[in-house]
Amino acid sequence: MPDVSLKVNGAHHCAWLEADTLLVDALRGPLGLHGTHQGCDTAQCGACTVLMDAKPIKSCNVLALQMQGRALHTVESLAQGDELHPMQQAFSRHHALQCGFCTPGFLMRAVTLAAEPEAACDPIDPQWVRHALGGNLCRCTGYEGIVKAVCEGLVAMRTAAA
Ligand code: FES
Ligand code: FES
């Protein structure tokens, strides 16, 4: 069983993992980061989305072993202490969650949209947001609140970065 070294949310973790351990299982298991959810295991629901070198990936679709040397971020990295990330605040304001199972994945995908040119548009096109979130599924909300929250969250991120 290889000793795998992972950098997650800026911290180094070492764990003895089977070579075929999925990243999502490593995160939720030995690393104890339960914010990343596991919905389908077939790379369809997006609940397991995390960032690898600032790009969104589905952590049920990659091996932990492959992630050595990468910078990984999970939903636990968003809030700074008691202060929620602007995207989390927008989700809260727009009631963009009900059961919350899909939320970590939506949040991690949503924050990466700030790097897209469309995020600089004023106003941000909700259709673009809807399309960009196509790899994330929600069974509860009907998506309306999520799209509004992501548009507002992106504007807040832009303002904070200015
Ligand atoms: S659990 Fe990874 S996409 Fe559904
Ligand atoms: S809030 Fe329940 S699945 Fe999205």
Side-chain angles (χ1 to χ4, degrees):
M1 208 159 44
D3 185 12
V4 179
S5 169
L6 296 173
K7 188 176 176 198
V8 187
N9 302 335
H12 289 278
H13 301 263
C14 289
W16 292 97
L17 299 173
E18 298 290 348
D20 61 355
T21 302
L22 296 172
L23 177 59
V24 66
D25 291 324
L27 293 171
R28 293 180 53 81
L31 273 60
L33 294 166
H34 301 120
T36 302
H37 290 164
Q38 194 166 14
C40 65
D41 265 352
T42 53
Q44 296 186 51
C45 74
C48 66
T49 302
V50 300
L51 306 189
M52 180 196 71
D53 299 338
K55 299 273 188 302
I57 59 164
K58 293 181 175 174
S59 60
C60 72
N61 205 28
V62 293
L63 300 176
L65 202 55
Q66 297 173 295
M67 295 296 112
Q68 295 191 105
R70 306 291 199 163
L72 300 168
H73 286 90
T74 67
V75 70
E76 285 89 350
S77 69
L78 293 183
Q80 299 301 311
D82 288 340
E83 186 166 354
L84 293 178
H85 187 281
M87 191 61 75
Q88 291 173 308
Q89 293 178 29
F91 268 62
S92 172
R93 265 194 302 277
H94 288 280
H95 309 291
L97 59 144
Q98 288 178 26
C99 78
F101 191 84
C102 66
T103 310
F106 270 102
L107 286 168
M108 297 313 281
R109 176 66 183 120
V111 296
T112 66
L113 297 181
E116 309 272 338
E118 290 88 341
C121 296
D122 196 13
I124 292 174
D125 181 0
Q127 281 308 111
W128 166 69
V129 170
R130 200 175 273 274
H131 180 74
L133 296 175
N136 293 73
L137 303 178
C138 176
R139 292 174 301 181
C140 306
T141 63
Y143 299 97
E144 209 53 44
I146 293 175
V147 172
K148 281 185 188 156
V150 172
C151 289
E152 188 180 292
L154 289 171
V155 171
M157 287 176 71
R158 194 166 66 198
T159 306

